Each structure stands twice: as structure tokens, then as C-alpha cells.
Amino acid sequence: MARRTITVHHVRAVLRGAERHGVDTVPLLRDADIPPLLLGDDRARVTAPQFVRLFRELYRATQDEFLGLGSAVSRPGTFAMMCQASLGCRDLGAAVQRGVTFYGLFPGGPDLVLERRGDEAVFGVRNDLEQDYFLAECLVIIWHRLCSWLIGRRIPLRWAEFGHPPPPHEDEYELLFGCPVRFGAGRTGAGFPAHWLGAPLIRDEVALDEMLRRAPFELLTRREYGTTVAEQVRRLLARSLRSSPRLPSLGEIAARLAVSPATLRRRLAEESTSYQQLKDAVRCDAAIAGLAEGGEPIAELAARLGFSEDTAFHRAFRRWTGTTPGAYRTERPGSAPPVPYRSSPSSGEASPGAASAVSEGGASTGAPGAVPGAAPGG
């Protein structure tokens, strides 16, 4: 089953640090199997594996866990050492506070804060990191996912807010964070029920080493929240597409969810989407994944996705993305094998720095070409 795809806005954002430092990013994009011309199309999307490969290439080029996005370098191994320092804490609250203190030791680093407000806890970034609000967003995402990993439970966010105006892809954020969002706030942060701070940590050093070996996938992967009707419908459609090109009708999906078709249609409308938009999103993500893998002929891919002829697939793909399927093909001269992210600063390998957090956050929930949830849900 194809994972959700990621908006090109996040690809551009993650490149900005390297570009500011004079790095030629075109070879990095090609090594990540991302056609550079896609960056000129606001509706373009990439797969999670492509985004992770790009992160790794950027790490090699910058030798910075923040990929050049911050005002100071975060040296390789910093994140892993922070995790090691937090493992021995009595509960999640103490672990987060230790991590906040740890990063506060580095001049020019992120000014993180954990606050308790009655029954609510707030994790925030007090500075704008001087150069790029994208890094502040990523820090909130990575800390949320790290906290959930430490206690073995997904911590539901109540809200997320951002200290910058709404970007062109603002509709992506609510699904990315799994909660209501607002822009133009005094700082970037997120709130969650304070009782989670008392949860015990269930991970040990063996589990941490395994997580770091599989990073950034371990912390990038966004588990389905399943809290909205749209997410439930999308999950059912994606599972169906994995086994058959024929997707179930709205009535069949409604029956599986034990509601009437009219009720399902109304609930989707309340979430600003529709059954057709979700079908298009699922097919678009699967198409982009198939094209990125590179081996499947377009005609076969079209048939697998339920199109009776490849010309109909071409028309649909252009409607979704604004370009042709061929634009998503890239030459593969021989990419380097994946490099595990170790904790040793001397190894030349990367830790899962905060800038890697959006990888699975970028998926669309509505019509792929409409950016209605386009980078949420990486």
C-alpha cells in the first residue's frame, strides 16, 4: 500500500539551509531520485522514501543535524546523546525537561520550553531560530513523535500554533499535526493533556539503538490517527487498491463504517473533503510511488490503478498534479545504499535531526492538485 506523499513545499523548505550555505542541491535531488524540475510546480509531490533519501544527502552535504536551517550547527550525534541522557528519567515530563535543558547548553541552538498550564502541557519553541520557521515546525513534530515513542503510546495533541503567517499549503497542517492549528501566534508550539507527562518511559538503550539504526523512518513514519471519517475512508480505499484496481463505491464504504451513504457524504463535507477527492488522493499517491520506483511501465501502472487506458490515466494525473507522469520519472545512475543513522559523531552518519520530521507528514487528504491536506499527512 502506497504511503501518503509529501508536498513540494516541504522539499523546497528542507533545501533552504543547504542553499544558503552555497551547496549545489541539484545533484542531491537527483541522488534522491527527485526530478529537479518538479520544484517549480506548486502542486508537485514526492514519496516518503524520496524525501528521506534527500534528507540523507543533505546531511552528508551539511554535516548538520538541522541541515543548515538553524543559526548554529547541530553536530552529528547531538540528538542521539540527548536521547541517551533522557532515557534514565522517571517519567516523560522529566525526560522532556532534560532534553530542553540539554539543547539549551548550545549557543545559537533552539530555545525550547515545556510549560504546564492546569490540565494542559505545552511544548514550544521560544525563538524563531533566526533563519527558518520550517525548523521550528519540525522540532515540534519530532519531539511529539519522540515522546510518543518513549512511552509507547500516541499522545494526542489538542492544538498546534505557529509564529508565522499561513503558508500557501496551510491546509496541510491540520492533518500533519492531527489537531486544530492556527497561524500568526506568538511562537510555534503544541498543547496536549498534562497527564501524559507522568507516563513512565518504556524504552531502554537497546530499543534506542534500534530506533537510531532505523531512523529517520522510525520517527518520520506518521501512524494513522484514525480520528476523522476522512482518514478512515482513506485507509479503506488504500487497502482496497492494494488488492484490486476496482475501488469500493461510496455505498460500500458507508456499509463498512456502519453509516448511511448520505451520512458519510455529510461527514466528509464537514471535514472539507469528499469521497471523490479521497479516491483521487489515494490513486495519486499510488501513482507517484509507482513512478518514483521507476520500473513499472506507465500502461501497467494505469491498469493497476483502475484506468481502462493509459490516456485516461495521463489526463487524470495532469489534473491531480499539473504535469505528466513522465515528469516524475528520473534516471538512476546508481544511488548509494541507505546509510543507517548512528549515534557516533565520528562515524559520518546522521542522527534523525529535527528537520527530518515531516517526511510522512506531507500527504494529501483531498484532491491532490488542490493542496487540501497536501503536506499533512506527510
Side-chain angles (χ1 to χ4, degrees), residues 66 69-71 96 100 103 108-115 117 122-144 159-164 177 185-191 354:
F66 292 160
L69 293 168
S71 57
V96 174
V100 167
Y103 272 105
D111 185 8
L112 309 176
V113 60
L114 175 67
E115 298 176 345
R117 303 173 184 171
V122 178
F123 179 82
V125 183
R126 282 188 291 214
N127 59 1
D128 61 3
L129 301 167
E130 297 183 21
Q131 302 209 35
D132 208 309
Y133 62 73
F134 179 70
L135 178 56
E137 295 174 359
C138 292
L139 285 167
V140 174
I141 296 171
I142 202 76
W143 274 88
H144 174 231
W159 52 265
E161 60 185 18
F162 309 96
H164 58 80
F177 285 84
R187 68 182 183 197
T188 295

Side-chain angles (χ1 to χ4, degrees), residues 59-310:
Y59 179 87
R60 290 188 179 102
T62 62
Q63 286 298 293
D64 178 1
E65 291 189 351
F66 292 160
L67 309 185
L69 293 168
S71 57
V73 172
S74 182
R75 296 180 60 187
T78 302
F79 179 81
M81 186 59 67
M82 182 277 298
C83 291
Q84 291 279 2
S86 300
L87 275 186
C89 292
R90 66 184 182 277
D91 55 32
L92 181 63
V96 174
Q97 190 58 58
R98 182 168 294 181
V100 167
T101 302
F102 180 91
Y103 272 105
L105 298 174
F106 300 92
D111 185 8
L112 309 176
V113 60
L114 175 67
E115 298 176 345
R116 301 174 194 237
R117 303 173 184 171
D119 67 345
E120 189 167 75
V122 178
F123 179 82
V125 183
R126 282 188 291 214
N127 59 1
D128 61 3
L129 301 167
E130 297 183 21
Q131 302 209 35
D132 208 309
Y133 62 73
F134 179 70
L135 178 56
E137 295 174 359
C138 292
L139 285 167
V140 174
I141 296 171
I142 202 76
W143 274 88
H144 174 231
R145 295 177 183 176
L146 176 64
C147 288
S148 297
W149 178 83
L150 284 170
I151 66 173
R153 300 276 302 278
R154 185 188 69 81
I155 300 172
L157 296 178
R158 288 179 172 173
W159 52 265
E161 60 185 18
F162 309 96
H164 58 80
H169 54 296
E170 63 177 296
D171 291 336
E172 306 244 346
Y173 282 71
E174 189 162 323
L175 185 57
L176 176 59
F177 285 84
C179 63
V181 302
R182 75 180 185 96
F183 298 91
R187 68 182 183 197
T188 295
F192 57 94
H195 70 80
W196 290 104
L197 296 178
L201 308 189
I202 67 168
R203 309 296 184 179
D204 56 19
E205 290 194 10
V206 174
L208 175 61
D209 287 344
E210 178 63 20
M211 184 271 283
L212 293 174
R213 276 197 297 272
R214 291 185 284 124
F217 287 105
E218 179 70 21
L219 290 176
L220 292 185
T221 300
R222 176 192 177 281
R223 277 72 175 177
E224 289 287 350
Y225 290 147
T227 55
T228 67
V229 175
E231 287 183 0
Q232 295 175 57
V233 171
R234 193 191 192 286
R235 185 166 59 246
L236 289 171
L237 289 171
R239 287 176 179 171
S240 296
L241 189 60
R242 182 172 54 180
S243 58
S244 169
R246 178 194 171 276
L247 290 178
S249 67
L250 182 141
E252 291 170 326
I253 292 290
R256 295 185 195 181
L257 296 177
V259 297
S260 69
T263 297
L264 177 58
R265 195 176 291 111
R266 185 181 70 253
R267 290 183 179 176
L268 291 176
E270 290 171 353
E271 296 175 9
S272 302
T273 188
S274 70
Y275 179 70
Q276 185 61 51
Q277 286 180 312
L278 293 171
K279 281 207 310 183
D280 284 347
V282 166
R283 282 194 168 123
C284 179
D285 286 350
I288 291 173
L291 292 167
E293 291 169 1
E296 188 175 17
I298 290 179
E300 293 182 11
L301 174 62
R304 179 166 63 82
L305 297 181
F307 291 89
S308 57
E309 53 185 34
D310 58 347

Side-chain angles (χ1 to χ4, degrees), residues 310-346:
D310 58 347
T311 54
F313 170 65
H314 277 259
R315 287 195 300 270
F317 194 84
R318 182 177 286 277
R319 186 176 72 252
W320 296 334
T321 67
T323 189
T324 64
Y328 279 74
R329 292 289 199 196
T330 183
E331 295 295 326
R332 297 190 168 203
S335 302
V339 177
Y341 286 39
R342 309 289 187 180
S343 59
S344 170
S346 62

